[in-house]
Amino acid sequence: MNSADASARSGPRRPVTHAQATAELRAAGYEPLETYPGNANTAWKVRCTDPSCRQTRLVWLAHIRPGQRRCGHRPPTRPPVDHTTAARELEAAGFTPLETYPGNTTVPWHMRCAQPDCPAGDRFIALERIRAGQFCVHRKQPRPRVTPDQAARELRAAGYEPLTPYPGRVSLPWLSRCTTCGRTRRTSLSTVRQGTRCAHRHPDARDDRPAGVVRQGGEELATPLYSG
């Protein structure tokens, strides 16, 4: 019996009700903000139910079912800024703007170091790089070292339990366990600070790993899974 015959015998699929779709949504860690659109391939406005997140997302039920879309608990997007606000951030980092703010944090901005005798000259740096801590090389100062206790507190606040001592640098992978799903992860403190969180593998997923998680050295690297 071919697939066409099987479809004819089984008949058309019954439409999924709002209650049924909501149950699937809640099992994936979301709550609906509007009525189910009636199609698993149509975007649905929802909110993450994790108390530490509560961010609004757009998800598709077709992606929720195989466990491909889980909230990555990324930090809220900063609101757009005007030239005055952006210039204030620039000046706080030791630069003087040479043109109007381009209106986007990722676009290079023409600027100059505020120190008159700086040899670097004019620069083009995006505001996102300034926010990440970039400043003129002549002003570079050593960053304060993170103590093992401070690092462990940051890791636990992000939902991980350290399984080994702090490796000594924020960029080095750190063996830990997710306190929500119990899976072993190798995530660095720097990625945690950027908002990366465990993807929490869905129990119905066919693969042994959720989308976005890669294996390295026998453990799994926690990577952000964004849904909207």
Side-chain angles (χ1 to χ4, degrees):
M1 182 173 61
N2 57 34
S3 58
D5 294 334
S7 299
R9 289 194 177 188
S10 60
R13 291 185 178 181
R14 294 181 180 179
V16 177
T17 66
H18 175 76
Q20 292 170 330
T22 298
E24 293 188 53
L25 195 70
R26 292 187 185 282
Y30 298 107
E31 61 182 4
L33 296 180
E34 61 186 9
T35 305
Y36 173 57
N39 189 315
N41 292 303
T42 300
W44 192 3
K45 190 176 182 181
V46 302
R47 177 183 291 120
C48 176
T49 56
D50 190 305
S52 65
C53 180
R54 303 294 293 171
Q55 292 293 303
T56 301
R57 301 280 183 256
L58 284 176
V59 300
W60 289 257
L61 192 61
H63 293 162
I64 290 291
R65 286 171 170 169
Q68 294 176 348
R69 288 293 183 272
R70 295 295 180 268
C71 183
H73 308 319
R74 64 180 182 270
T77 303
R78 294 194 185 193
V81 298
D82 56 19
H83 173 78
T84 302
T85 304
R88 192 177 298 121
E89 292 189 49
L90 204 64
E91 291 162 0
F95 292 99
T96 300
L98 299 179
E99 64 179 4
T100 303
Y101 172 57
N104 190 311
T105 61
T106 64
V107 176
W109 190 3
H110 194 191
M111 63 186 69
R112 178 184 294 134
C113 177
Q115 183 168 311
D117 57 348
C118 176
D122 296 2
R123 309 283 296 280
F124 286 86
I125 308 175
L127 185 59
E128 68 173 4
R129 301 304 309 158
I130 298 295
R131 288 176 169 176
Q134 181 171 341
F135 42 82
C136 197
V137 291
H138 83 269
R139 299 180 62 245
K140 182 172 292 188
Q141 299 176 1
R143 295 185 178 182
R145 297 191 62 181
V146 179
T147 67
D149 288 343
Q150 291 172 332
R153 283 197 297 270
E154 284 193 55
L155 200 68
R156 291 189 177 102
Y160 299 102
E161 181 62 32
L163 300 179
T164 57
Y166 173 54
R169 292 176 57 186
V170 297
S171 60
L172 293 178
W174 192 357
L175 187 64
S176 60
R177 178 177 291 111
C178 175
T179 56
T180 299
C181 69
R183 296 186 69 116
T184 302
R185 297 286 184 253
R186 285 172 59 86
T187 184
S188 67
L189 197 59
S190 61
T191 58
V192 165
R193 289 174 172 177
Q194 294 167 11
T196 301
R197 296 294 182 268
C198 178
H200 308 321
R201 182 179 67 88
H202 190 267
D204 296 332
R206 294 181 181 179
D207 193 4
D208 183 53
R209 297 163 293 170
V213 172
V214 295
R215 288 191 178 277
Q216 178 175 310
E219 289 82 29
E220 294 179 356
L221 296 176
T223 57
L225 293 184
Y226 297 158
S227 57

